[in-house]
Amino acid sequence: MKTPIQRMTLARRLTLTLALAGTLAASAAALAIAADKDLIVFDWSGYEDPSFHPKYVEKNGDSPTFAFFGDEDEAFEKVRSGFKADLGHPCSQSVVKWREAGLLQPLDTSKITGWKDLNPGIMAMKDLATTSDGKAWFMPWDWGNTQLTYNSDKIDAKDVQSLKAFVDPKFKGRVSIGDNVDDAYALASLAIGLKDWTKMTDDQFKQASDFLRQVHKNVRSYWTDTTDVVQLLSGGEVDLAWAWNDATVQSVAAGVPIKAKKDTDEGISTWVCGYVLFKDAPGNIDKAYDYLNAVNDPETAKVLVKDWGYGQANAKGMAGVDPAVLKGKGYDDVQQFLDKTLFQSPVPSALKLKMIAEFEKIKAGY
């Protein structure tokens, strides 16, 4: 059996091969792994893993076709420019933007088995899964953190007690953060003591941006996906990263002493991702709901928590995970998990545009 790293690396190779072979229409402007042509899922690399949707394969004979994006702003622009898919996988900070742009259609929750089993805390988040008119637009599925991640053989835990470690000159050339504006500004917001970035002032934006400029001086590489950051950590190229939960899980599976530090002085960032139904979905609508039901199946939580280190939004699924596994992944006390966190909720569009423009300048050394 392949490890998650091997599966994802293979997926990337297959993706490249298929793209070079011309199997994806030029108008798609995205890489894809072709399977069931009746359903296209626009997703993050790695989520094509069949262990996430075995009941879909059981019912329909194959996995859906997957197309991939590197970040949600890229995905937004592709869909707005005409790329066609049936389902998409945005996160909490992007759902409102996608919906208000007219890219989505409401979900028929009567067709989603276990809709009522979704975590009440997540479902209560304002304007996320549902709107005030009662329409459902987003099925929460995976949730987790972006957190300080380090090589415990090379770095003492006391030296990374603060997120300010990312700007410590002694880590010059040993740092990686994501090539992702949301995670970058989540890190910077926490570092300057801001937990609610939706209320960021102009002065706080400058402080956060200045912090990222200092981080840039230490960055060896900006990672683009989990495979990338795991390779950087496992290969010894970097020792300190701002990374998702699965970077730790997969590095440890590869035998590398990588740890996540959730108890930094400033905290961690938390996000919720899930699935949406595109307005002009070209495929089979029944298969779209088959897929939603497959990933929302409580049994999927066991894979999501154990192999990826993420929580499933289905509370019934989380309740069925071995308590020892939950404790090992940090999900045994969810309230403590969420107490000291910046939740990546949608920011005002003007602020988001400023973040995007400024982050590009920062990465370019300006």
Side-chain angles (χ1 to χ4, degrees):
M1 178 179 291
K2 289 183 172 64
T3 66
I5 297 172
Q6 291 170 319
R7 285 198 301 267
M8 291 176 72
T9 301
L10 177 59
R12 294 179 75 190
R13 289 175 181 168
L14 285 171
T15 296
L16 183 58
T17 301
L18 287 167
L20 292 173
T23 57
L24 182 64
S27 61
L31 301 177
I33 291 180
D36 186 340
K37 61 182 176 60
D38 293 332
L39 184 68
I40 301 173
V41 181
F42 197 24
D43 217 323
W44 305 85
S45 176
Y47 284 95
E48 73 278 8
D49 189 333
S51 63
F52 287 143
H53 55 266
K55 290 193 174 179
Y56 182 91
V57 176
E58 181 182 331
K59 182 174 181 179
N60 295 289
D62 205 348
S63 292
T65 290
F66 284 88
F68 302 110
F69 56 85
D71 66 57
E72 291 150 276
D73 293 310
E74 170 200 337
F76 174 80
E77 292 301 333
K78 285 181 179 176
V79 175
R80 193 168 64 164
S81 297
F83 172 63
K84 299 296 184 184
D86 301 298
L87 296 171
H89 192 174
C91 299
S92 45
Q93 67 273 22
S94 299
V95 175
V96 172
K97 177 181 177 180
W98 288 28
R99 184 173 68 236
E100 290 183 346
L103 303 184
L104 311 180
Q105 62 175 295
L107 296 169
D108 182 348
T109 60
S110 71
K111 296 182 178 179
I112 301 176
T113 305
W115 178 263
K116 293 182 179 179
D117 295 326
L118 293 169
N119 184 295
I122 294 175
M123 296 302 287
M125 292 178 182
K126 185 179 179 181
D127 218 25
L128 183 61
T130 60
T131 44
S132 57
D133 57 6
K135 292 181 180 179
W137 301 87
F138 173 75
M139 187 189 82
W141 182 58
D142 52 325
W143 61 282
N145 305 115
T146 313
Q147 56 201 358
L148 188 148
T149 306
Y150 68 104
N151 187 317
S152 60
D153 272 0
K154 298 181 180 181
I155 296 178
D156 193 305
K158 65 180 175 56
D159 291 332
V160 289
Q161 183 56 42
S162 169
L163 294 181
K164 292 181 174 60
F166 284 99
V167 300
D168 190 327
K170 71 182 175 185
F171 295 124
K172 185 176 178 62
R174 301 168 63 192
V175 168
S176 182
I177 69 172
D179 190 0
N180 177 318
V181 68
D182 297 309
D183 283 333
Y185 272 94
L187 167 62
S189 297
L190 285 164
I192 66 169
L194 182 64
K195 294 292 191 297
D196 184 355
W197 65 358
T198 66
K199 299 177 181 178
M200 182 182 285
T201 65
D202 288 343
D203 182 60
Q204 289 170 329
F205 176 75
K206 183 180 184 304
Q207 291 179 50
S209 299
D210 288 346
F211 179 81
L212 289 176
R213 283 189 168 83
Q214 295 302 310
V215 174
H216 178 75
K217 295 178 181 179
N218 285 351
V219 168
R220 180 181 181 88
S221 176
Y222 288 92
W223 58 265
T224 55
D225 58 27
T226 295
T227 301
D228 193 15
V229 69
V230 168
Q231 289 174 345
L232 289 167
L233 289 164
S234 300
E237 291 188 60
V238 302
D239 302 321
L240 177 62
W242 182 241
W244 302 326
N245 306 60
D246 56 335
T248 302
V249 174
Q250 295 183 25
S251 296
V252 170
V256 185
I258 303 301
K259 292 185 178 180
K261 191 165 182 60
K262 297 180 184 294
D263 63 344
T264 60
D265 294 340
E266 299 86 359
I268 56 178
S269 177
T270 298
W271 40 260
V272 177
C273 303
Y275 286 96
V276 294
L277 183 61
F278 287 118
K279 183 178 181 180
D280 299 319
N284 185 307
I285 191 69
D286 291 331
K287 287 189 176 183
Y289 283 102
D290 285 346
Y291 187 79
L292 294 177
N293 287 325
V295 296
N296 193 44
D297 188 277
E299 288 297 307
T300 303
K302 297 174 182 176
V303 176
L304 200 56
V305 176
K306 182 176 181 293
D307 293 345
W308 288 63
Y310 294 150
Q312 188 191 38
N314 190 318
K316 186 176 180 180
M318 292 296 283
V321 177
D322 184 336
V325 173
L326 287 176
K327 185 173 183 179
K329 305 301 182 185
Y331 290 97
D332 54 325
D333 186 344
V334 172
Q335 191 55 47
Q336 183 180 13
F337 191 90
L338 297 175
D339 273 347
K340 198 175 179 182
T341 186
L342 179 147
F343 180 68
Q344 291 191 19
S345 53
V347 298
S349 57
L351 175 57
K352 183 62 179 288
L353 289 173
K354 282 175 60 177
M355 289 178 171
I356 293 170
E358 198 69 13
F359 191 45
E360 289 303 313
K361 289 168 60 178
I362 291 167
K363 290 186 296 177
Y366 295 103

